[in-house]
Amino acid sequence: MNIVLIADGHPREWPVLGALSRDFPETTWIHPTYAVADPEANHQPKTVLNKQLSWWYRQFRDRVRRRMTKWKVGQAEPDFKQEITLPYFELGREKGLQLLDDLNPDVIVACRAPILAPEVLQKANWCGINVHFGILPAYRGNDGLFWAAKKRDTEALGGSIHFLEDGVDTGYLIADAFPELSGRESETMIELKVSDVLSRTLVECLKAIERDGQAPAGKPHPFEGRNYLARERTFTQDLGFLAGRLVRRMPAQKERQLFY
């Protein structure tokens, strides 16, 4: 089975990338880069002070989370058949589409990837699937785990694997995965435990697809929940989350995997 992975390689996803490289080493990893701005985009300068502060805070928070995650898991380098770096905005344009034509993937796996254009998804012979941190459909977007923990939504401390389609985390569900948690974990440890169980769940899903030679039917879900945007997570939201954790810990939960 020919797999193309599209992932930016954040340390949170290292367990997923590591499991994929061990069980499917012939996978090709397309690594989107963000150092160069899209020349066709309209980059308006942020002139409002609170917008500037919010942007600076997000950059600082993400650097801290990345360093904490690296410290917890160590440097883990996945060993794929080949790794190709590509500016994120090229994925849905001529260069990226030609690359996918050349790779001819049976399955496209996305894990913390930019929103993929329909033209990209059509390049998969069988299906495109996404590894999502947060249980769908309630928590769409990149920070689903944070909002589930902040709201003490114990039914959503996990991750989902779903089909990619033209939308944000809206495709049919293939699996839900919940890690074992004691209730004392930090946000970083929750993310890493979710990443671990998601990595094993992804491998099982891909092995089933390879065995059957086609995508599973999946489970439809209503277009509900929210797409939590990066700008919604502010300094005061983080303070509220930390204060809540000091007052009450989260309930413990056992590991479970649900396949559809």
Side-chain angles (χ1 to χ4, degrees), residues 164-196:
L164 286 163
E165 63 174 30
D166 187 17
V168 179
D169 304 326
T170 57
Y172 279 25
L173 293 172
I174 304 173
D176 288 325
F178 302 84
E180 182 173 350
L181 296 174
S182 68
R184 295 186 176 91
E185 290 86 357
S186 66
E187 180 189 1
T188 297
M189 285 309 302
I190 291 174
E191 288 186 332
L192 289 176
K193 288 189 173 185
V194 170
S195 189
D196 176 66

PDB file of all heavy atoms in Angstrom, residues 164-196:
ATOM      1  N   LEU A 164     -10.843  12.552   5.298  1.00  0.00           N
ATOM      2  CA  LEU A 164     -10.669  13.937   4.884  1.00  0.00           C
ATOM      3  C   LEU A 164     -11.696  14.275   3.814  1.00  0.00           C
ATOM      4  O   LEU A 164     -11.939  13.495   2.898  1.00  0.00           O
ATOM      5  CB  LEU A 164      -9.269  14.142   4.315  1.00  0.00           C
ATOM      6  CG  LEU A 164      -8.120  14.163   5.327  1.00  0.00           C
ATOM      7  CD1 LEU A 164      -6.794  13.962   4.615  1.00  0.00           C
ATOM      8  CD2 LEU A 164      -8.116  15.472   6.101  1.00  0.00           C
ATOM      9  N   GLU A 165     -12.291  15.445   3.959  1.00  0.00           N
ATOM     10  CA  GLU A 165     -13.182  15.964   2.929  1.00  0.00           C
ATOM     11  C   GLU A 165     -13.044  17.474   2.922  1.00  0.00           C
ATOM     12  O   GLU A 165     -12.270  18.043   3.697  1.00  0.00           O
ATOM     13  CB  GLU A 165     -14.629  15.536   3.175  1.00  0.00           C
ATOM     14  CG  GLU A 165     -15.242  16.068   4.449  1.00  0.00           C
ATOM     15  CD  GLU A 165     -16.728  15.726   4.565  1.00  0.00           C
ATOM     16  OE1 GLU A 165     -17.159  14.687   4.038  1.00  0.00           O
ATOM     17  OE2 GLU A 165     -17.445  16.509   5.183  1.00  0.00           O
ATOM     18  N   ASP A 166     -13.788  18.126   2.050  1.00  0.00           N
ATOM     19  CA  ASP A 166     -13.692  19.577   1.897  1.00  0.00           C
ATOM     20  C   ASP A 166     -14.386  20.251   3.074  1.00  0.00           C
ATOM     21  O   ASP A 166     -15.569  20.571   3.019  1.00  0.00           O
ATOM     22  CB  ASP A 166     -14.330  20.013   0.573  1.00  0.00           C
ATOM     23  CG  ASP A 166     -14.096  21.492   0.302  1.00  0.00           C
ATOM     24  OD1 ASP A 166     -13.201  22.078   0.947  1.00  0.00           O
ATOM     25  OD2 ASP A 166     -14.796  22.056  -0.555  1.00  0.00           O
ATOM     26  N   GLY A 167     -13.663  20.449   4.148  1.00  0.00           N
ATOM     27  CA  GLY A 167     -14.194  21.053   5.365  1.00  0.00           C
ATOM     28  C   GLY A 167     -13.188  20.875   6.482  1.00  0.00           C
ATOM     29  O   GLY A 167     -12.141  20.260   6.300  1.00  0.00           O
ATOM     30  N   VAL A 168     -13.502  21.385   7.666  1.00  0.00           N
ATOM     31  CA  VAL A 168     -12.597  21.289   8.810  1.00  0.00           C
ATOM     32  C   VAL A 168     -13.093  20.192   9.737  1.00  0.00           C
ATOM     33  O   VAL A 168     -14.093  20.366  10.444  1.00  0.00           O
ATOM     34  CB  VAL A 168     -12.506  22.633   9.566  1.00  0.00           C
ATOM     35  CG1 VAL A 168     -11.563  22.500  10.767  1.00  0.00           C
ATOM     36  CG2 VAL A 168     -12.026  23.738   8.639  1.00  0.00           C
ATOM     37  N   ASP A 169     -12.435  19.033   9.687  1.00  0.00           N
ATOM     38  CA  ASP A 169     -12.745  17.912  10.591  1.00  0.00           C
ATOM     39  C   ASP A 169     -14.207  17.488  10.500  1.00  0.00           C
ATOM     40  O   ASP A 169     -14.872  17.276  11.516  1.00  0.00           O
ATOM     41  CB  ASP A 169     -12.396  18.288  12.041  1.00  0.00           C
ATOM     42  CG  ASP A 169     -10.953  18.715  12.191  1.00  0.00           C
ATOM     43  OD1 ASP A 169     -10.104  18.169  11.485  1.00  0.00           O
ATOM     44  OD2 ASP A 169     -10.679  19.608  13.017  1.00  0.00           O
ATOM     45  N   THR A 170     -14.710  17.334   9.282  1.00  0.00           N
ATOM     46  CA  THR A 170     -16.131  17.017   9.092  1.00  0.00           C
ATOM     47  C   THR A 170     -16.371  15.641   8.490  1.00  0.00           C
ATOM     48  O   THR A 170     -17.523  15.217   8.387  1.00  0.00           O
ATOM     49  CB  THR A 170     -16.789  18.075   8.186  1.00  0.00           C
ATOM     50  OG1 THR A 170     -16.075  18.132   6.942  1.00  0.00           O
ATOM     51  CG2 THR A 170     -16.757  19.451   8.838  1.00  0.00           C
ATOM     52  N   GLY A 171     -15.337  14.932   8.063  1.00  0.00           N
ATOM     53  CA  GLY A 171     -15.524  13.656   7.373  1.00  0.00           C
ATOM     54  C   GLY A 171     -15.989  12.536   8.293  1.00  0.00           C
ATOM     55  O   GLY A 171     -15.909  12.620   9.529  1.00  0.00           O
ATOM     56  N   TYR A 172     -16.490  11.452   7.691  1.00  0.00           N
ATOM     57  CA  TYR A 172     -16.951  10.291   8.445  1.00  0.00           C
ATOM     58  C   TYR A 172     -15.851   9.800   9.389  1.00  0.00           C
ATOM     59  O   TYR A 172     -14.671   9.788   9.060  1.00  0.00           O
ATOM     60  CB  TYR A 172     -17.324   9.156   7.499  1.00  0.00           C
ATOM     61  CG  TYR A 172     -18.701   9.268   6.881  1.00  0.00           C
ATOM     62  CD1 TYR A 172     -19.331  10.496   6.729  1.00  0.00           C
ATOM     63  CD2 TYR A 172     -19.373   8.132   6.424  1.00  0.00           C
ATOM     64  CE1 TYR A 172     -20.577  10.598   6.154  1.00  0.00           C
ATOM     65  CE2 TYR A 172     -20.626   8.212   5.847  1.00  0.00           C
ATOM     66  CZ  TYR A 172     -21.227   9.455   5.702  1.00  0.00           C
ATOM     67  OH  TYR A 172     -22.467   9.534   5.128  1.00  0.00           O
ATOM     68  N   LEU A 173     -16.267   9.334  10.575  1.00  0.00           N
ATOM     69  CA  LEU A 173     -15.342   8.813  11.572  1.00  0.00           C
ATOM     70  C   LEU A 173     -14.919   7.395  11.227  1.00  0.00           C
ATOM     71  O   LEU A 173     -15.736   6.573  10.795  1.00  0.00           O
ATOM     72  CB  LEU A 173     -15.987   8.832  12.959  1.00  0.00           C
ATOM     73  CG  LEU A 173     -16.282  10.209  13.558  1.00  0.00           C
ATOM     74  CD1 LEU A 173     -17.095  10.058  14.835  1.00  0.00           C
ATOM     75  CD2 LEU A 173     -14.983  10.944  13.850  1.00  0.00           C
ATOM     76  N   ILE A 174     -13.640   7.096  11.440  1.00  0.00           N
ATOM     77  CA  ILE A 174     -13.118   5.744  11.281  1.00  0.00           C
ATOM     78  C   ILE A 174     -12.847   5.128  12.650  1.00  0.00           C
ATOM     79  O   ILE A 174     -13.060   3.936  12.863  1.00  0.00           O
ATOM     80  CB  ILE A 174     -11.830   5.745  10.448  1.00  0.00           C
ATOM     81  CG1 ILE A 174     -12.067   6.413   9.090  1.00  0.00           C
ATOM     82  CG2 ILE A 174     -11.301   4.322  10.258  1.00  0.00           C
ATOM     83  CD1 ILE A 174     -10.798   6.602   8.286  1.00  0.00           C
ATOM     84  N   ALA A 175     -12.391   5.931  13.615  1.00  0.00           N
ATOM     85  CA  ALA A 175     -12.100   5.421  14.947  1.00  0.00           C
ATOM     86  C   ALA A 175     -12.030   6.572  15.944  1.00  0.00           C
ATOM     87  O   ALA A 175     -11.719   7.713  15.575  1.00  0.00           O
ATOM     88  CB  ALA A 175     -10.784   4.645  14.961  1.00  0.00           C
ATOM     89  N   ASP A 176     -12.311   6.264  17.205  1.00  0.00           N
ATOM     90  CA  ASP A 176     -12.063   7.164  18.329  1.00  0.00           C
ATOM     91  C   ASP A 176     -11.127   6.445  19.286  1.00  0.00           C
ATOM     92  O   ASP A 176     -11.241   5.225  19.480  1.00  0.00           O
ATOM     93  CB  ASP A 176     -13.358   7.529  19.070  1.00  0.00           C
ATOM     94  CG  ASP A 176     -14.236   8.480  18.277  1.00  0.00           C
ATOM     95  OD1 ASP A 176     -13.690   9.342  17.571  1.00  0.00           O
ATOM     96  OD2 ASP A 176     -15.478   8.360  18.371  1.00  0.00           O
ATOM     97  N   ALA A 177     -10.209   7.189  19.891  1.00  0.00           N
ATOM     98  CA  ALA A 177      -9.224   6.586  20.787  1.00  0.00           C
ATOM     99  C   ALA A 177      -9.111   7.420  22.062  1.00  0.00           C
ATOM    100  O   ALA A 177      -8.997   8.644  22.004  1.00  0.00           O
ATOM    101  CB  ALA A 177      -7.866   6.485  20.101  1.00  0.00           C
ATOM    102  N   PHE A 178      -9.147   6.730  23.205  1.00  0.00           N
ATOM    103  CA  PHE A 178      -9.077   7.389  24.508  1.00  0.00           C
ATOM    104  C   PHE A 178      -7.910   6.790  25.296  1.00  0.00           C
ATOM    105  O   PHE A 178      -7.830   5.569  25.442  1.00  0.00           O
ATOM    106  CB  PHE A 178     -10.370   7.193  25.294  1.00  0.00           C
ATOM    107  CG  PHE A 178     -11.600   7.701  24.592  1.00  0.00           C
ATOM    108  CD1 PHE A 178     -12.252   6.914  23.654  1.00  0.00           C
ATOM    109  CD2 PHE A 178     -12.107   8.955  24.872  1.00  0.00           C
ATOM    110  CE1 PHE A 178     -13.385   7.373  23.003  1.00  0.00           C
ATOM    111  CE2 PHE A 178     -13.247   9.424  24.226  1.00  0.00           C
ATOM    112  CZ  PHE A 178     -13.881   8.642  23.288  1.00  0.00           C
ATOM    113  N   PRO A 179      -7.000   7.610  25.821  1.00  0.00           N
ATOM    114  CA  PRO A 179      -5.869   7.069  26.578  1.00  0.00           C
ATOM    115  C   PRO A 179      -6.251   6.798  28.030  1.00  0.00           C
ATOM    116  O   PRO A 179      -7.279   7.278  28.515  1.00  0.00           O
ATOM    117  CB  PRO A 179      -4.844   8.197  26.504  1.00  0.00           C
ATOM    118  CG  PRO A 179      -5.693   9.442  26.513  1.00  0.00           C
ATOM    119  CD  PRO A 179      -6.934   9.086  25.725  1.00  0.00           C
ATOM    120  N   GLU A 180      -5.407   6.041  28.702  1.00  0.00           N
ATOM    121  CA  GLU A 180      -5.564   5.884  30.147  1.00  0.00           C
ATOM    122  C   GLU A 180      -5.028   7.133  30.828  1.00  0.00           C
ATOM    123  O   GLU A 180      -3.899   7.558  30.583  1.00  0.00           O
ATOM    124  CB  GLU A 180      -4.805   4.648  30.640  1.00  0.00           C
ATOM    125  CG  GLU A 180      -4.968   4.414  32.129  1.00  0.00           C
ATOM    126  CD  GLU A 180      -4.357   3.113  32.591  1.00  0.00           C
ATOM    127  OE1 GLU A 180      -3.969   2.302  31.734  1.00  0.00           O
ATOM    128  OE2 GLU A 180      -4.268   2.911  33.818  1.00  0.00           O
ATOM    129  N   LEU A 181      -5.849   7.749  31.676  1.00  0.00           N
ATOM    130  CA  LEU A 181      -5.464   8.976  32.368  1.00  0.00           C
ATOM    131  C   LEU A 181      -5.747   8.831  33.868  1.00  0.00           C
ATOM    132  O   LEU A 181      -6.776   8.273  34.257  1.00  0.00           O
ATOM    133  CB  LEU A 181      -6.244  10.178  31.813  1.00  0.00           C
ATOM    134  CG  LEU A 181      -6.008  10.553  30.345  1.00  0.00           C
ATOM    135  CD1 LEU A 181      -6.961  11.657  29.922  1.00  0.00           C
ATOM    136  CD2 LEU A 181      -4.563  10.993  30.124  1.00  0.00           C
ATOM    137  N   SER A 182      -4.849   9.352  34.664  1.00  0.00           N
ATOM    138  CA  SER A 182      -5.045   9.325  36.121  1.00  0.00           C
ATOM    139  C   SER A 182      -5.826  10.531  36.613  1.00  0.00           C
ATOM    140  O   SER A 182      -6.356  10.530  37.723  1.00  0.00           O
ATOM    141  CB  SER A 182      -3.684   9.293  36.813  1.00  0.00           C
ATOM    142  OG  SER A 182      -2.991  10.520  36.618  1.00  0.00           O
ATOM    143  N   GLY A 183      -5.897  11.577  35.798  1.00  0.00           N
ATOM    144  CA  GLY A 183      -6.543  12.818  36.210  1.00  0.00           C
ATOM    145  C   GLY A 183      -5.573  13.865  36.716  1.00  0.00           C
ATOM    146  O   GLY A 183      -5.952  15.009  36.955  1.00  0.00           O
ATOM    147  N   ARG A 184      -4.305  13.483  36.864  1.00  0.00           N
ATOM    148  CA  ARG A 184      -3.289  14.420  37.364  1.00  0.00           C
ATOM    149  C   ARG A 184      -2.385  14.953  36.254  1.00  0.00           C
ATOM    150  O   ARG A 184      -1.503  15.757  36.513  1.00  0.00           O
ATOM    151  CB  ARG A 184      -2.415  13.723  38.409  1.00  0.00           C
ATOM    152  CG  ARG A 184      -3.151  13.317  39.680  1.00  0.00           C
ATOM    153  CD  ARG A 184      -2.172  12.772  40.704  1.00  0.00           C
ATOM    154  NE  ARG A 184      -2.821  12.466  41.966  1.00  0.00           N
ATOM    155  CZ  ARG A 184      -3.336  11.285  42.276  1.00  0.00           C
ATOM    156  NH1 ARG A 184      -3.279  10.296  41.390  1.00  0.00           N
ATOM    157  NH2 ARG A 184      -3.913  11.077  43.445  1.00  0.00           N
ATOM    158  N   GLU A 185      -2.578  14.507  35.031  1.00  0.00           N
ATOM    159  CA  GLU A 185      -1.676  14.872  33.937  1.00  0.00           C
ATOM    160  C   GLU A 185      -1.764  16.358  33.578  1.00  0.00           C
ATOM    161  O   GLU A 185      -2.838  16.960  33.645  1.00  0.00           O
ATOM    162  CB  GLU A 185      -1.987  14.050  32.680  1.00  0.00           C
ATOM    163  CG  GLU A 185      -1.613  12.586  32.781  1.00  0.00           C
ATOM    164  CD  GLU A 185      -2.714  11.748  33.405  1.00  0.00           C
ATOM    165  OE1 GLU A 185      -3.748  12.328  33.815  1.00  0.00           O
ATOM    166  OE2 GLU A 185      -2.549  10.528  33.496  1.00  0.00           O
ATOM    167  N   SER A 186      -0.621  16.915  33.178  1.00  0.00           N
ATOM    168  CA  SER A 186      -0.599  18.254  32.609  1.00  0.00           C
ATOM    169  C   SER A 186      -1.164  18.208  31.193  1.00  0.00           C
ATOM    170  O   SER A 186      -1.384  17.129  30.632  1.00  0.00           O
ATOM    171  CB  SER A 186       0.841  18.783  32.568  1.00  0.00           C
ATOM    172  OG  SER A 186       1.612  17.993  31.664  1.00  0.00           O
ATOM    173  N   GLU A 187      -1.370  19.378  30.596  1.00  0.00           N
ATOM    174  CA  GLU A 187      -1.869  19.413  29.221  1.00  0.00           C
ATOM    175  C   GLU A 187      -0.908  18.697  28.279  1.00  0.00           C
ATOM    176  O   GLU A 187      -1.333  17.943  27.391  1.00  0.00           O
ATOM    177  CB  GLU A 187      -2.059  20.857  28.767  1.00  0.00           C
ATOM    178  CG  GLU A 187      -2.582  20.964  27.342  1.00  0.00           C
ATOM    179  CD  GLU A 187      -2.565  22.369  26.791  1.00  0.00           C
ATOM    180  OE1 GLU A 187      -2.125  23.288  27.506  1.00  0.00           O
ATOM    181  OE2 GLU A 187      -2.985  22.542  25.631  1.00  0.00           O
ATOM    182  N   THR A 188       0.398  18.901  28.488  1.00  0.00           N
ATOM    183  CA  THR A 188       1.392  18.249  27.631  1.00  0.00           C
ATOM    184  C   THR A 188       1.303  16.737  27.737  1.00  0.00           C
ATOM    185  O   THR A 188       1.344  16.020  26.727  1.00  0.00           O
ATOM    186  CB  THR A 188       2.809  18.720  27.999  1.00  0.00           C
ATOM    187  OG1 THR A 188       2.912  20.125  27.763  1.00  0.00           O
ATOM    188  CG2 THR A 188       3.863  18.006  27.164  1.00  0.00           C
ATOM    189  N   MET A 189       1.173  16.215  28.954  1.00  0.00           N
ATOM    190  CA  MET A 189       1.099  14.768  29.128  1.00  0.00           C
ATOM    191  C   MET A 189      -0.201  14.199  28.571  1.00  0.00           C
ATOM    192  O   MET A 189      -0.220  13.086  28.032  1.00  0.00           O
ATOM    193  CB  MET A 189       1.258  14.401  30.599  1.00  0.00           C
ATOM    194  CG  MET A 189       2.681  14.525  31.109  1.00  0.00           C
ATOM    195  SD  MET A 189       3.903  13.656  30.073  1.00  0.00           S
ATOM    196  CE  MET A 189       3.280  11.966  30.089  1.00  0.00           C
ATOM    197  N   ILE A 190      -1.296  14.940  28.687  1.00  0.00           N
ATOM    198  CA  ILE A 190      -2.545  14.482  28.072  1.00  0.00           C
ATOM    199  C   ILE A 190      -2.351  14.350  26.567  1.00  0.00           C
ATOM    200  O   ILE A 190      -2.731  13.348  25.954  1.00  0.00           O
ATOM    201  CB  ILE A 190      -3.696  15.451  28.386  1.00  0.00           C
ATOM    202  CG1 ILE A 190      -4.073  15.388  29.875  1.00  0.00           C
ATOM    203  CG2 ILE A 190      -4.932  15.114  27.544  1.00  0.00           C
ATOM    204  CD1 ILE A 190      -5.106  16.424  30.288  1.00  0.00           C
ATOM    205  N   GLU A 191      -1.736  15.366  25.948  1.00  0.00           N
ATOM    206  CA  GLU A 191      -1.505  15.333  24.511  1.00  0.00           C
ATOM    207  C   GLU A 191      -0.641  14.139  24.113  1.00  0.00           C
ATOM    208  O   GLU A 191      -0.929  13.453  23.125  1.00  0.00           O
ATOM    209  CB  GLU A 191      -0.843  16.627  24.053  1.00  0.00           C
ATOM    210  CG  GLU A 191      -1.766  17.830  24.057  1.00  0.00           C
ATOM    211  CD  GLU A 191      -1.118  19.056  23.468  1.00  0.00           C
ATOM    212  OE1 GLU A 191       0.122  19.179  23.526  1.00  0.00           O
ATOM    213  OE2 GLU A 191      -1.855  19.910  22.942  1.00  0.00           O
ATOM    214  N   LEU A 192       0.411  13.866  24.882  1.00  0.00           N
ATOM    215  CA  LEU A 192       1.312  12.772  24.534  1.00  0.00           C
ATOM    216  C   LEU A 192       0.641  11.411  24.714  1.00  0.00           C
ATOM    217  O   LEU A 192       0.866  10.488  23.925  1.00  0.00           O
ATOM    218  CB  LEU A 192       2.581  12.852  25.369  1.00  0.00           C
ATOM    219  CG  LEU A 192       3.525  14.004  25.007  1.00  0.00           C
ATOM    220  CD1 LEU A 192       4.713  14.050  25.947  1.00  0.00           C
ATOM    221  CD2 LEU A 192       3.999  13.881  23.570  1.00  0.00           C
ATOM    222  N   LYS A 193      -0.191  11.279  25.733  1.00  0.00           N
ATOM    223  CA  LYS A 193      -0.896  10.015  25.927  1.00  0.00           C
ATOM    224  C   LYS A 193      -1.942   9.810  24.835  1.00  0.00           C
ATOM    225  O   LYS A 193      -2.145   8.689  24.372  1.00  0.00           O
ATOM    226  CB  LYS A 193      -1.537   9.968  27.316  1.00  0.00           C
ATOM    227  CG  LYS A 193      -0.519   9.794  28.430  1.00  0.00           C
ATOM    228  CD  LYS A 193      -1.173   9.529  29.775  1.00  0.00           C
ATOM    229  CE  LYS A 193      -0.136   9.195  30.836  1.00  0.00           C
ATOM    230  NZ  LYS A 193      -0.751   8.817  32.125  1.00  0.00           N
ATOM    231  N   VAL A 194      -2.604  10.888  24.419  1.00  0.00           N
ATOM    232  CA  VAL A 194      -3.529  10.792  23.295  1.00  0.00           C
ATOM    233  C   VAL A 194      -2.764  10.430  22.024  1.00  0.00           C
ATOM    234  O   VAL A 194      -3.212   9.593  21.229  1.00  0.00           O
ATOM    235  CB  VAL A 194      -4.312  12.112  23.108  1.00  0.00           C
ATOM    236  CG1 VAL A 194      -5.091  12.112  21.797  1.00  0.00           C
ATOM    237  CG2 VAL A 194      -5.267  12.331  24.274  1.00  0.00           C
ATOM    238  N   SER A 195      -1.589  11.037  21.829  1.00  0.00           N
ATOM    239  CA  SER A 195      -0.788  10.748  20.651  1.00  0.00           C
ATOM    240  C   SER A 195      -0.382   9.281  20.619  1.00  0.00           C
ATOM    241  O   SER A 195      -0.389   8.642  19.559  1.00  0.00           O
ATOM    242  CB  SER A 195       0.457  11.642  20.638  1.00  0.00           C
ATOM    243  OG  SER A 195       1.148  11.534  19.421  1.00  0.00           O
ATOM    244  N   ASP A 196      -0.044   8.717  21.770  1.00  0.00           N
ATOM    245  CA  ASP A 196       0.360   7.316  21.826  1.00  0.00           C
ATOM    246  C   ASP A 196      -0.772   6.386  21.417  1.00  0.00           C
ATOM    247  O   ASP A 196      -0.586   5.493  20.579  1.00  0.00           O
ATOM    248  CB  ASP A 196       0.841   6.974  23.237  1.00  0.00           C
ATOM    249  CG  ASP A 196       1.185   5.506  23.379  1.00  0.00           C
ATOM    250  OD1 ASP A 196       2.138   5.049  22.741  1.00  0.00           O
ATOM    251  OD2 ASP A 196       0.461   4.797  24.124  1.00  0.00           O
TER     252      ASP A 196
END
